[in-house]
Amino acid sequence: MKFDLDEEQTEIRDIVRRFTAQEIAPHAESWDELSYFPREIYIKMAELGLMGMTTPETYGGSMLGRLAGALVYEELAKGEMATAVGLSVHNMVTGSIARFGNEEQRQHWVSQLATGKLLGAFSLSEVSAGSDAASLQCHADRRDDHYILNGSKAWVTNGGEADIYLLMARTSNGVGSAGISCFVMEKGTPGFSFGKQERKMGLHSSPTRELLFEQCEIPVTNRIGAEGQGFKIALSSLDGGRINIGAVAVGVAQAAFEVASNYAKERQQFGHPIGIFQGIQFLLADMAMKIEASRLLVYQAAYKLDEGQSAGMYASMAKCFATDAAMEVTTNAVQVLGGAGYVRDYPVERYMRDVKVAQIFEGTNQIQRIVIARTLLGNLR
Ligand code: COS
C-alpha cells in the first residue's frame, strides 16, 4: 500500500493547481458577488481534458479516473467551489451516458460533452421528492416513437446554462423506483422551459434552476438504458458524484485552513502571534486532522470505484465525513480570524457559505448515514 501520489498524479495535480491559481482564484470573489457563471472556464477545462474524466478516449474523454479526478476537484475547489461542483455534475452526466448509453448515444452526446462543446446537468430531485427520490412525479408517457413529458424538476445545478439534462422521469403508473427511466433532454426542446433561478446562501456562481415540462416531446432514442432502469442509473451515477463532492469539500477545507494558519502566525494580540495560544492551536490541529482523514476517505472511495469494487458505502462515508469536516473547518477558520473572518476582506466567510450545501446536495448527510447503515446491517424492515 502506497500513500504517495505517483508521477502522473502529481503532474495532474500540479497542472490543475497552476490553472486554478491563474484562471479561477483571482476571479472567485467577483464571480461570487456578481453570481457570474464562468462558461469560458469550462472551455479551458475541456482543453485540459477535465470535461470527460471518466469517459473513454474513443469519445473524446481523458479517462483520468476517479482518483485523479479527486485531485482535480480538490485543487479547483481551493480556488472556487462553484466551478468544481459544476464540473463534477458535468462529468457525472458525461460518464453516465458513456456507461449506460448505446453506441449511437455515445457517439452523439458523449463526444460533444467530453470535449466541452456541450455542458451537462443532472436532474433527479423534485420539490416533493428530495431525499425520497423514488417518489418523483415528473412523468413521461410513451406514444409510438416518442414520450410526452410533463412536470417539473427542482434544484438543478448548471440549470439554464447546460445544453444537456440527464433527467429521471416516471414511465409507468406504479409507485417507487422501478417505474423510473432516464432521458437526455436537450435545451431548446419545445415544451421545455426554465423556472425560477434559486437565490442561495452561497455557491452564487453555480446556477441552480427549476426545469418545467409541458407536453414536451422526447424521442425514444433519447432514453438512456431500459425503461425502469433510471433510478439505478441515477444512484449509481451519484456514487461517483458523492466522491467528487467529498474531494471538493477537502479542497475548500484546505483553503480555509491555509488562510487561518497564516493569519494565526501573523495576527498579533497580547504581544504575541495568536497562534501561540492553545485555544487557536487546538482549533488548527483539529482542522488539519479532519482534512487529512477526509482526504484519505475520498482517495479510498475513488480507488475502489476505479478498481470496479463495490464503492457505494465508501462514497457515502467520504461525502458525509468530508463535508461535515469542511463545514466545521470553515466555521472554525472564520473563528480564528474573528471579525476579519466575518467580513469579506478574507475568503473564509465565502468558503463557509459555499460549503454548507455540500452537507445537503448529492444526498443529505443523513441519507449518507442511511446508505452506510443499510450496507452494514442490511435493509431491515
Ligand atoms: N447503485 C445502483 N443501484 C442502487 C444503488 C446504487 N448506489 N442504491 C440503490 N440501488 C438500487 C437498489 O438495489 C434497488 O434495486 P432493486 O429494487 O432491484 O433491489 C433500487 O435501487 C431501490 O433502492 P432502495 O430500495 O434502497 O431505494 P429507496 O427508495 O429506499 O431509497 C435512498 C434509497 C434513500 C438511499 C435514495 O433514495 C437516495 O440516495 N436518496 C437521496 C437522493 C439524492 O442523493 N438526491 C440528490 C440528487 S442530486 S442534487
Side-chain angles (χ1 to χ4, degrees):
M1 190 183 292
K2 290 196 182 109
F3 284 91
D4 293 318
L5 302 183
D6 66 22
E7 213 174 301
E8 195 189 334
Q9 290 162 341
T10 307
E11 195 186 338
I12 292 165
R13 185 201 61 190
D14 290 347
I15 288 171
V16 179
R17 187 171 285 178
R18 278 196 298 276
F19 176 79
T20 303
Q22 285 165 12
E23 305 282 351
I24 296 180
H27 310 291
E29 191 184 338
S30 69
W31 291 346
D32 173 63
E33 287 281 345
L34 302 170
S35 296
Y36 173 72
F37 178 74
R39 183 73 163 91
E40 66 282 3
I41 291 296
Y42 288 79
I43 311 291
K44 292 183 180 172
M45 291 196 289
E47 286 161 12
L48 293 178
L50 307 185
M51 295 285 270
M53 286 195 279
T54 56
T55 309
E57 283 151 12
T58 347
Y59 306 107
S62 55
M63 206 61 192
L64 291 177
R66 301 285 172 185
L67 191 45
L71 305 173
V72 169
Y73 294 119
E74 179 180 339
E75 290 305 322
L76 291 173
K78 283 184 193 166
E80 204 226 2
M81 179 172 158
T83 302
V85 168
L87 184 73
S88 165
V89 167
H90 171 88
N91 269 285
M92 193 157 79
V93 171
T94 311
S96 298
I97 303 177
R99 188 166 154 215
F100 298 103
N102 59 34
E103 187 53 29
E104 207 176 308
Q105 293 168 331
R106 290 191 200 117
Q107 296 281 0
H108 183 58
W109 286 306
V110 176
S111 54
Q112 297 188 73
L113 287 160
T115 52
K117 291 189 184 80
L118 297 177
L119 181 69
F122 179 85
S123 178
L124 173 65
S125 301
E126 297 177 5
V127 169
S128 304
S131 291
D132 184 9
S135 68
L136 65 84
Q137 294 297 320
C138 190
H139 57 98
D141 301 321
R142 179 88 186 246
R143 305 263 190 281
D144 305 322
D145 63 349
H146 60 271
Y147 290 87
I148 302 290
L149 186 68
N150 280 291
S152 64
K153 305 297 283 183
W155 307 301
V156 181
T157 300
N158 294 346
E161 297 289 342
D163 309 288
I164 293 291
Y165 295 78
L166 195 70
L167 177 114
M168 309 308 143
R170 189 165 293 289
T171 43
S172 85
N173 290 329
V175 288
S177 58
I180 295 170
S181 303
C182 176
F183 296 94
V184 169
M185 175 56 78
E186 293 180 346
K187 187 178 182 176
T189 305
F192 171 21
S193 61
F194 298 106
K196 68 171 168 161
Q197 170 111 17
E198 302 294 346
R199 295 170 61 241
K200 307 192 298 283
M201 171 193 286
L203 221 63
H204 291 154
S205 56
S206 165
T208 307
R209 200 85 186 256
E210 188 182 23
L211 315 182
L212 306 172
F213 303 100
E214 202 182 334
Q215 294 294 103
C216 182
E217 212 173 282
I218 332 174
V220 170
T221 47
N222 283 33
R223 196 189 66 229
I224 303 293
E227 265 201 17
Q229 210 193 341
F231 195 70
K232 288 181 185 173
I233 293 176
L235 286 194
S236 150
S237 306
L238 280 167
D239 286 348
R242 289 168 179 171
I243 297 171
N244 299 348
I245 294 306
V248 166
V250 171
V252 178
Q254 182 67 45
F257 174 80
E258 283 165 20
V259 175
S261 62
N262 287 334
Y263 190 85
K265 285 188 265 182
E266 285 163 14
R267 169 76 172 165
Q268 297 276 332
Q269 285 294 277
F270 305 104
H272 298 282
I274 59 169
I276 207 168
F277 303 116
Q278 278 193 348
I280 301 294
Q281 288 180 354
F282 286 6
L283 281 178
L284 291 169
D286 280 349
M287 287 156 85
M289 190 159 53
K290 287 182 182 171
I291 294 168
E292 286 300 331
S294 302
R295 190 177 280 120
L296 290 174
L297 275 175
V298 169
Y299 288 0
Q300 176 184 247
Y303 170 84
K304 284 184 180 291
L305 208 53
D306 277 338
E307 292 297 307
Q309 297 175 21
S310 172
M313 177 181 77
Y314 295 96
S316 288
M317 285 180 171
K319 191 272 188 189
C320 184
F321 189 91
T323 60
D324 280 352
M327 193 66 240
E328 187 181 317
V329 167
T330 54
T331 305
N332 284 339
V334 171
Q335 193 67 23
V336 170
L337 270 71
Y342 194 70
V343 297
R344 297 197 174 181
D345 297 349
Y346 287 86
V348 285
E349 62 81 32
R350 171 166 56 84
Y351 299 151
M352 183 181 161
R353 281 187 287 112
D354 283 355
V355 93
K356 177 63 204 171
V357 74
Q359 293 180 297
I360 299 169
F361 65 13
E362 309 255 340
T364 65
N365 285 1
Q366 286 66 35
I367 288 293
Q368 308 308 329
R369 288 176 170 90
I370 286 173
V371 172
I372 295 164
R374 278 188 186 176
T375 310
L376 295 172
L377 306 176
N379 198 353
L380 300 173
R381 303 261 178 205

